[in-house]
Amino acid sequence: MNWRPWLELWSEEWITAGDPGELDSEVVRQRWLGYAPAAEADVAAAEERLGVRLPPSYRSFLLTTDGWRHAGEFVREMRDTSDLGWLRDLDPRWESWADLAIEAPVDAPGDPFTRGLLISRHAGEEVLFLDPADRDENGEWAAYSVCSWGEFPQRHPSFTSLMESLYRSFHQIRRPAGATRDSWDLVVEQAREEALSGNIDAAMTALEKAQEFGRPRSTVLGVQLQMFLATSAAYEASRLLSRLLAPDSVPDGFFTGSLFTEEFLPCVFLQHTRKEPWYGSALEIARSRADGALAGHRVALEIGRQHADDESSPYSALEVARILENAENDEGLEIGSALDEHQARVQQPGYHLSYGNPAFDTAVRNALAEHHSDPATLWQALEAAMAHWQPRTPDHIAPVALLADPVLADSLTPERGRALLRKPRSGREPREQPGG
């Protein structure tokens, strides 16, 4: 790893995304989250004190910057050569988390927490450490990140891999402007083109990577493909649909667009009718978000009213304006409106599910009428119908509304879904697929 250019990029992006109150003046002035490089003598002295030679990637990192600020979102600072030490000595309370660790590699049995080298400082919510007994052929030590809110310890094959994971986490949460964001947005657009061309494996691989960097379009696109590649179990479908309801997981305006209201939402309601008591359905999660947003909006309005009527209000005019703005922009309100409108529409006389644009809708209805009792032939007819399919929105890449039909949802298999998605759509030419 050539640390300096990458860390400079990370620094610039952090400064761009950071709130003014959390930006250290020195960081802003130097455009650098790090510190001066450690001297070789400093690293050697730390190694002599610890009784080990540090792994190559971490050693190189220290020779680039002796310490680091804001490693991800929950590690405010990393240690330098002067205060590196063993986790068991510096913060032994974390040893109790060893029971949650994944199974250790065969060649590194035992407890990584007891022997771990602590590399993070002020470990309140997350701790980072290296395991000197878990080494690869290049001398790299496995690296761990552990969060206090109860997630399983995350093992990484090296310090470099750990830092790359922390960088992805920073992008997921902060979504900073810059070259990294722009490059992943380009990847997402290329994946959309691949998906519409029928090259779904390449599309899925790219979208999964883009999701790690918090690009919201990648979630919307990826869920459409996964809906057809998963089993028809209600839990699996509901789990995928629930991903669209997480805060900041989708582009602005998604919940008012036809991709959500005409494609995903009918699936949400169908899967709710099939849920088991042991899990929450996507509809229940959506309703919870909607109810929470509505309650928050009422509270905000009351705060605004009290502020207008009471000169001794504890809130300033600016604070009241922000409270009202945040409440009014809560996407839960849009979700609630979409739920209510869908329920009202379904209750109207003559309502029927729309599978898409008129030509495709007609082809699907004909296929159902002729082959509803023969799933294999039915899905072959749906493959042929894809020649008529058109997207409702630019981010629409698969006919999700099909899976709001009980007959089609019940007869879906991953093989049938894959065959459907391999059909080029929206005028794109077929591409040679691996494996024939």
Side-chain angles (χ1 to χ4, degrees), residues 196 221 224 259 263 389-400:
L196 288 172
L221 298 176
Q224 292 175 67
L259 177 54
E263 297 281 327
W389 181 83
Q390 292 292 325
R392 296 181 191 265
T393 73
D395 285 343
H396 191 191
I397 59 173
V400 176

Side-chain angles (χ1 to χ4, degrees), residues 89-408:
D89 298 327
L90 297 175
D91 204 344
R93 65 192 175 93
W94 287 95
E95 289 189 66
S96 63
W97 290 69
D99 292 341
L100 295 177
I102 59 175
E103 185 177 351
V106 175
D107 55 352
D111 177 10
F113 284 76
T114 300
R115 62 189 182 230
L117 178 67
L118 183 63
I119 61 174
S120 58
R121 189 181 290 152
H122 310 309
E125 295 181 313
E126 185 173 8
V127 64
L128 310 176
F129 66 90
L130 307 178
D131 182 359
D134 187 356
R135 307 187 187 194
D136 66 13
E137 64 277 7
N138 297 315
E140 295 291 351
W141 302 3
Y144 282 84
S145 61
V146 191
C147 298
S148 61
W149 48 86
E151 293 185 356
F152 287 98
Q154 298 296 309
R155 178 189 178 277
H156 305 270
S158 67
F159 173 74
T160 298
S161 177
L162 168 65
M163 289 294 283
E164 290 171 340
S165 175
L166 295 170
Y167 180 66
R168 291 193 296 270
S169 176
F170 158 57
H171 269 267
Q172 284 180 347
I173 296 172
R174 298 284 179 138
R175 300 185 180 182
T180 301
R181 185 192 68 178
D182 294 344
S183 66
W184 282 108
D185 282 345
L186 179 59
V187 168
V188 171
E189 179 57 26
Q190 292 171 339
R192 186 186 74 88
E193 295 286 338
E194 294 282 7
L196 288 172
S197 299
N199 194 2
I200 57 174
D201 291 326
M204 283 296 301
T205 298
L207 292 172
E208 287 170 0
K209 291 179 180 178
Q211 287 172 27
E212 294 179 352
F213 281 83
R215 305 318 304 145
R217 285 185 72 207
S218 62
T219 301
V220 173
L221 298 176
V223 167
Q224 292 175 67
L225 302 181
Q226 290 171 312
M227 290 282 289
F228 284 90
L229 300 177
T231 67
S232 58
Y235 169 72
E236 182 73 3
S238 195
R239 182 187 65 82
L240 288 169
L241 292 165
S242 297
R243 293 182 58 193
L244 301 172
L245 302 170
D248 302 322
S249 65
V250 296
D252 293 340
F254 172 73
F255 296 114
T256 59
S258 59
L259 177 54
F260 180 70
T261 60
E262 302 296 333
E263 297 281 327
F264 285 118
L265 199 52
C267 295
V268 167
F269 277 86
L270 174 67
Q271 296 306 327
H272 178 72
T273 66
R274 300 168 170 213
K275 75 173 290 291
E276 298 292 337
W278 55 271
Y279 70 89
S281 70
L283 180 58
E284 290 171 329
I285 295 172
R287 183 56 70 185
S288 177
R289 276 208 66 188
D291 291 345
L294 184 59
H297 190 251
R298 288 171 179 162
V299 170
L301 291 176
E302 180 61 20
I303 290 174
R305 185 192 65 77
Q306 292 177 353
H307 178 79
D309 296 341
D310 184 0
E311 293 182 357
S312 62
S313 168
Y315 301 98
S316 68
L318 179 59
E319 288 173 329
V320 171
R322 286 176 177 170
I323 290 171
L324 289 169
E325 181 182 10
N326 290 338
E328 291 169 356
N329 290 335
D330 192 323
E331 291 177 331
L333 295 177
E334 295 179 348
I335 294 174
S337 295
L339 294 175
D340 294 341
E341 290 171 6
H342 179 81
Q343 288 179 306
R345 187 164 60 248
V346 169
Q347 293 171 1
Q348 292 178 356
Y351 167 82
H352 60 79
L353 175 68
S354 169
Y355 299 104
N357 54 288
F360 181 67
D361 186 77
T362 298
V364 172
R365 294 187 185 283
N366 290 340
L368 281 166
E370 295 177 21
H371 310 296
H372 65 275
S373 60
D374 184 354
T377 304
L378 172 59
W379 279 89
Q380 290 174 358
L382 294 177
E383 290 180 43
M386 289 302 292
H388 303 288
W389 181 83
Q390 292 292 325
R392 296 181 191 265
T393 73
D395 285 343
H396 191 191
I397 59 173
V400 176
L402 294 178
L403 305 183
D405 184 292
V407 172
L408 298 179

